[in-house]
Amino acid sequence: MKKITGVYRNREMHWVGDGFPVKNLFSYERLGQVISPFLLLDYVEPYQFSPVTTLRGVGSHPHRGFETVTIAYQGEVSHKDSGGGGGTIRTGDVQWMTAGAGVLHEEFHSEAFAQQGGPFEMAQLWVNLPAADKMTTPRYQAIEAQQIPVIKLEDNAGQIRVIAGRYAEQTGPAATFSPVNVWDGTLKATHIQHIHVPVDHNTLIVVLEGELLINGTQHVQGSSIVIFANDGEADIQLQAVQDVKFLVLTGKPLNEPIQGYGPFVMNTSDEIRQAFDDFNRGKFGELPVTV
């Protein structure tokens, strides 16, 4: 089975804007190439919002050089960007935004959710773009829950949703620039599931809630990530100690320099300086005005 090389847990929460109380579970700034092509993952564990008349969230901000993937577990988020993308994601939906050459966007709780309040739970993943695609035209993929293949596990043990890549002969709807798998899973307590990942991919398991025993030896609690060696092995054993919610992320490493600063992730410091210059010159466009 694949060798575990690291387990990291973060219990600390911080706010992004006034709508997203997140735990940062991993970042390229700490882990670098071992998680390539993934860059970062923030998790909003279930949080109860009260009804309000003003929208909570994050106002206009830029990105360049990577993609953001937002998975909605509970609650609703409305998005719009300067590339013309936008919409509202609801429970089970995914938004996959390619910042590419540069985009301005904003994310707020939907009007309906703000007015009603309720439980809110999301995960946002950043996926790096290959150097050749860093300056691609921005695009937006709105993936509704019913578009995502759901694989029911034996003995009613849980399920795996294939958001990107391929699992058990099912292909996810997300179009990607490099080979990646994003699988969203649940496993009920005491059940065991073997998963198989590509032998040439970097592999991470993100335990969002509950507790897993991995490969029969490693206990992993919620708000943790597990990093595996890219050692040519393909098999991982998952045993749920408690009901568990998790993500499996695998990707072919880009093996390219990573240079990031704030909302920009490029390959060189010169490209970062150029990104700031282009942003300040208004080259990322403008957000559409809501009438």
Side-chain angles (χ1 to χ4, degrees):
M1 286 186 281
K2 283 190 90 63
K3 180 183 177 182
I4 296 171
T5 59
V7 179
Y8 304 90
R9 190 181 192 199
N10 182 18
R11 304 183 190 186
E12 300 299 319
M13 184 269 283
H14 69 277
W15 284 88
V16 175
D18 63 358
F20 307 108
V22 308
K23 293 179 179 179
N24 177 248
L25 300 190
F26 68 77
S27 169
Y28 71 95
E29 293 173 335
R30 298 191 303 272
L31 298 171
Q33 296 288 350
V34 298
I35 60 171
S36 176
F38 305 108
L39 293 169
L40 173 153
L41 187 134
D42 284 340
Y43 176 51
V44 180
E45 65 183 12
Y47 188 95
Q48 188 73 23
F49 280 98
S50 58
V52 291
T53 55
T54 57
L55 301 182
R56 296 184 177 101
V58 182
S60 176
H61 57 285
H63 288 304
R64 173 179 278 183
F66 62 97
E67 303 181 286
T68 66
V69 182
T70 305
I71 304 169
Y73 291 106
Q74 299 182 80
E76 298 181 358
V77 170
S78 292
H79 166 100
K80 65 179 179 181
D81 64 51
S82 58
T88 298
I89 58 170
R90 300 173 174 86
T91 300
D93 295 346
V94 174
Q95 69 172 30
W96 196 297
M97 186 197 74
T98 304
V103 72
L104 301 178
H105 77 137
E106 64 179 31
E107 300 161 289
F108 288 95
H109 296 178
S110 72
E111 289 189 14
F113 181 80
Q115 292 170 3
Q116 297 170 7
F120 189 88
E121 182 184 6
M122 302 266 166
Q124 186 172 90
L125 170 71
W126 289 14
V127 182
N128 206 1
L129 286 170
D133 299 308
K134 288 283 188 185
M135 298 297 287
T136 194
T137 301
R139 73 180 184 190
Y140 181 83
Q141 300 176 70
I143 302 171
E144 296 184 351
Q146 61 266 29
Q147 297 174 268
I148 301 172
V150 179
I151 298 161
K152 300 294 185 181
L153 304 181
E154 292 183 6
D155 299 323
N156 196 32
Q159 66 177 33
I160 291 178
R161 300 196 310 153
V162 186
I163 295 170
R166 189 168 176 81
Y167 183 83
E169 307 304 320
Q170 296 291 329
T171 300
T176 67
F177 285 83
S178 65
V180 300
N181 291 298
V182 178
W183 305 332
D184 175 30
T186 60
L187 190 62
K188 294 180 181 178
T190 75
H191 286 275
I192 295 175
Q193 179 68 27
H194 289 83
I195 61 172
H196 307 282
V197 299
V199 296
D200 60 345
H201 280 203
N202 286 337
T203 300
L204 299 87
I205 290 180
V206 183
V207 180
L208 300 174
E209 292 182 345
E211 184 176 349
L212 275 177
L213 179 64
I214 298 182
N215 292 347
T217 60
Q218 181 68 58
H219 283 268
V220 185
Q221 296 178 308
S223 299
S224 298
I225 67 161
V226 183
I227 300 176
F228 295 84
N230 193 341
D231 55 8
E233 295 293 328
D235 296 331
I236 301 171
Q237 179 182 287
L238 307 180
Q239 180 176 349
V241 179
Q242 306 168 357
D243 289 356
V244 69
K245 179 186 297 181
F246 63 94
L247 292 166
V248 178
L249 309 175
T250 88
K252 193 166 185 178
L254 298 181
N255 295 322
E256 296 171 346
I258 303 171
Q259 186 72 43
Y261 192 96
F264 307 131
V265 182
M266 302 300 289
N267 300 111
T268 68
S269 56
D270 285 344
E271 290 173 332
I272 294 294
R273 285 190 287 270
Q274 185 65 54
F276 274 101
D277 186 58
D278 289 347
F279 168 61
N280 290 329
R281 291 173 180 268
K283 293 185 177 182
F284 285 25
E286 296 181 356
L287 285 173
V289 177
T290 302
V291 179

